[in-house]
């Protein structure tokens, strides 16, 4: 069971003593001064190279501190072929530093196309070149669209995080629609719980979670609490912390009493900390990596103080 994603994730949280997930969302306009020349902004290969330098620099800082990182595929795809090469290099670098990698691609399709996506991102790195440990997927093509991702993940020790209740303000337009007396997100959650139960590790592992998890935003704490209760075997990937307004108090109910069961993402709040008021004067652009470390440690401290994640160090 050492190759089971949920077991690996549990071990990583215990080893680091925190559930922080650092999002790698590189943006040309937000990079530290001097990393990308102004006349290179319209040259995808130059932007991609800067993204690689920046993300590797973030990884080198956070690898001793947190269990996982989450590259956002869109920012790399935006730079065309060069960006996709850099994405593969960033994933490989993160894994070489002992981090789990959750690729935020929100993929999905049906039949052989879904299978191709699953193999592309969750298959063996020597065959496909990506080698992520887990992938975010959309559920709205139905159960048969999720099955290929589940199968490939289980074959290769990977994980899948299904969008259930997302952090964005407009998510409720569809996710909150009521069908058979329950909101749509609850129906999706029920399916994800069933898939998680199917993918539980052997009881001897002591892990209560399967390889299929749910994305549930910190910006909806009441629904987060409800879903934690109704998805007892699902890891929750919780976006919305920091820049989107979610704080430690809002995510506290995502955890079990041992401080497991959830991993909390912060992207801009950590990787661009050098541009925030509380870090700018102390570190500035020249000390952007020190700002990343400070912001990461601050988030770790907040989660340890205000959530059951503090139990991970006791």
């Amino acid at each position: 069971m050492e190759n089971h994603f949920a077991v690996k994730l549990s071990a990583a949280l215990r080893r680091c003593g925190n559930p922080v997930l650092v999002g790698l969302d590189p943006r040309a306009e937000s990079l530290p001064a001097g990393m990308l020349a102004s006349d290179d902004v319209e040259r995808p290969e130059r932007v991609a190279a800067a993204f690689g330098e920046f993300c590797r620099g973030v990884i080198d800082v956070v690898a001793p501190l947190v269990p996982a990182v989450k590259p956002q595929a869109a920012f790399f795809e935006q730079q065309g072929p060069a960006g996709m090469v850099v994405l593969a290099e960033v994933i490989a670098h993160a894994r070489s530093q002992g981090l789990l990698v959750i690729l935020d691609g929100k993929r999905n399709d049906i039949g052989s196309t879904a299978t191709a996506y699953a193999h592309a991102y969750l298959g063996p790195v020597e065959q496909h070149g990506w080698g992520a440990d887990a992938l975010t997927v959309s559920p709205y093509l139905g159960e048969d669209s999720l099955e290929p991702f589940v199968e490939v993940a289980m074959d290769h020790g990977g994980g899948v995080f299904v969008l259930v209740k997302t952090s964005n303000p407009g998510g409720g337009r569809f996710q909150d629609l009521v069908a058979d007396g329950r909101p749509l997100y609850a129906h999706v959650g029920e399916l994800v719980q069933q898939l998680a139960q199917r993918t539980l590790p052997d009881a001897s592992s002591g892990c209560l979670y399967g390889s299929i998890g749910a994305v549930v935003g910190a910006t909806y704490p009441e629904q987060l609490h409800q879903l934690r209760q109704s998805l007892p075997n699902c890891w929750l990937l919780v976006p919305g912390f920091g820049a989107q307004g979610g704080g430690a108090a809002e995510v506290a109910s995502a955890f079990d009493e041992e401080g497991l069961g959830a991993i909390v993402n912060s992207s801009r709040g950590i990787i661009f900390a050098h541009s925030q008021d509380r870090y700018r004067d102390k570190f500035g652009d020249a000390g952007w990596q020190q700002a990343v470390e400070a912001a990461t440690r601050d988030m770790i401290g907040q989660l340890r103080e205000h959530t059951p994640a503090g139990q991970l160090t006791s």
Side-chain angles (χ1 to χ4, degrees), residues 206-224:
C207 180
L208 302 177
Y209 298 98
S211 291
I212 313 304
V215 178
V216 184
T219 47
Y220 297 100
E222 182 178 346
Q223 289 89 342
L224 177 60

Side-chain angles (χ1 to χ4, degrees), residues 242-263:
Q244 293 187 49
E250 284 75 23
V251 304
S253 64
F255 300 93
D256 64 26
E257 61 184 15
E258 296 182 3
L260 296 172
I263 187 161

Side-chain angles (χ1 to χ4, degrees), residues 186-210:
H187 291 277
V188 177
E190 181 179 29
L191 172 58
V192 177
Q193 167 62 15
Q194 293 170 2
L195 295 174
Q197 287 180 314
R198 273 178 43 193
T199 59
L200 287 170
D202 188 274
S204 63
S205 70
C207 180
L208 302 177
Y209 298 98

